[in-house]
């Protein structure tokens, strides 16, 4: 059975109260489920990192924590930015290059390379998002997420076969061993992606916001078909 990597991306969603409610509903089922060969990473807004870190420690939740972005600069006079050094106090992972960062904040491959560099320097592990197999993956990236832009938050997915082909090309070109698929993944369609030989897991946005849905997605993904 292959190792699975399942990440949730909360984007700009949830207050502390809402996050605590989510945790209350996620904690019981996940703690009573045997996770075999499956890593779960939850990427929350910066404002929730501290409380999540505390809760994970306190309750022994079997999940790792991630941020959704990192500054391309070290600590210093960069108003509004959150540096890798600050993030590593709370999280082990960071998403870099999500298509929403590329689209709404004009992030370029050159800038994203700097982000990867700073994240690595501070010991953060990186999930690097690419829209296709032609996008260059910077050296040092730990996990690549293939996310076709048209599939993100639209309810439309790539076909599992095509997604597997793209992930295999990404693996060959980048030498990154773990490549996952993202784009409207749900508990209903996740098994078809996981069944593909070159797909090592999924990145779920919308499906991670509801604790029951996210748990169901994890159960389906980690149960051999
Ligand atoms: C994402 O946030 O990377 C994503 C794939 O979102 P969704 O699952 O909602 O399409």
């Amino acid at each position: 059975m292959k190792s699975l990597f399942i990440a949730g991306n909360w984007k700009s969603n949830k207050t502390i109260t809402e996050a605590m409610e989510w945790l209350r509903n996620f904690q019981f089922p996940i703690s009573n489920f045997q996770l075999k060969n499956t890593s779960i990473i939850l990427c929350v807004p910066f404002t929730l990192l501290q409380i999540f870190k505390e809760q994970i420690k306190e309750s022994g939740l079997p999940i790792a924590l991630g941020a959704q972005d990192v500054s391309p600069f070290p600590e210093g006079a960069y108003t509004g930015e959150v540096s890798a050094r600050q993030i590593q106090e709370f999280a082990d992972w960071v998403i870099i290059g999500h298509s929403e960062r590329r689209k709404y904040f004009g992030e370029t491959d050159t800038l994203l390379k700097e982000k990867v560099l700073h994240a690595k320097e501070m010991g953060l592990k990186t999930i690097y998002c690419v829209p296709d197999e032609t996008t260059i993956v910077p050296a040092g990236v730990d996990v690549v997420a293939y996310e076709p832009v048209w599939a993100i938050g639209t309810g439309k997915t790539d076909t599992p076969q095509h997604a597997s082909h793209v992930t295999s090309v990404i693996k060959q070109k980048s030498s990154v061993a773990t490549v996952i698929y993202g784009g409207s993944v749900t508990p209903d369609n996740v098994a078809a992606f996981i069944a593909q030989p070159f797909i090592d897991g999924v990145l779920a946005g919308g499906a991670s916001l509801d604790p029951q849905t996210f748990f169901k997605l994890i159960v389906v993904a980690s149960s051999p078909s």
Side-chain angles (χ1 to χ4, degrees), residues 130-142:
V130 298
D132 54 43
E133 68 276 37
T134 66
T135 307
I136 307 270
V137 176
V141 161
D142 297 280

Side-chain angles (χ1 to χ4, degrees), residues 139-200:
V141 161
D142 297 280
V143 172
V144 175
Y146 159 54
E147 298 207 302
V149 175
W150 52 265
I152 297 178
T154 59
K156 296 181 198 142
T157 64
D158 198 350
T159 63
Q161 295 74 15
H162 183 255
S164 188
H165 167 71
V166 174
T167 51
S168 77
V169 176
I170 292 170
K171 282 181 185 189
Q172 281 163 22
K173 287 172 91 169
S174 68
S175 311
V176 175
T178 307
V179 182
I180 61 177
Y181 168 77
S184 297
V185 175
T186 66
D188 293 334
N189 61 30
V190 70
F193 289 101
I194 296 300
Q196 295 299 319
F198 298 107
I199 299 179
D200 301 299

Side-chain angles (χ1 to χ4, degrees), residues 9 11 98 100 129 147 151-154 182-185 203-207:
N9 175 17
K11 313 191 185 196
H98 193 281
E100 286 151 14
C129 300
E147 298 207 302
I152 297 178
T154 59
S184 297
V185 175
L203 175 54

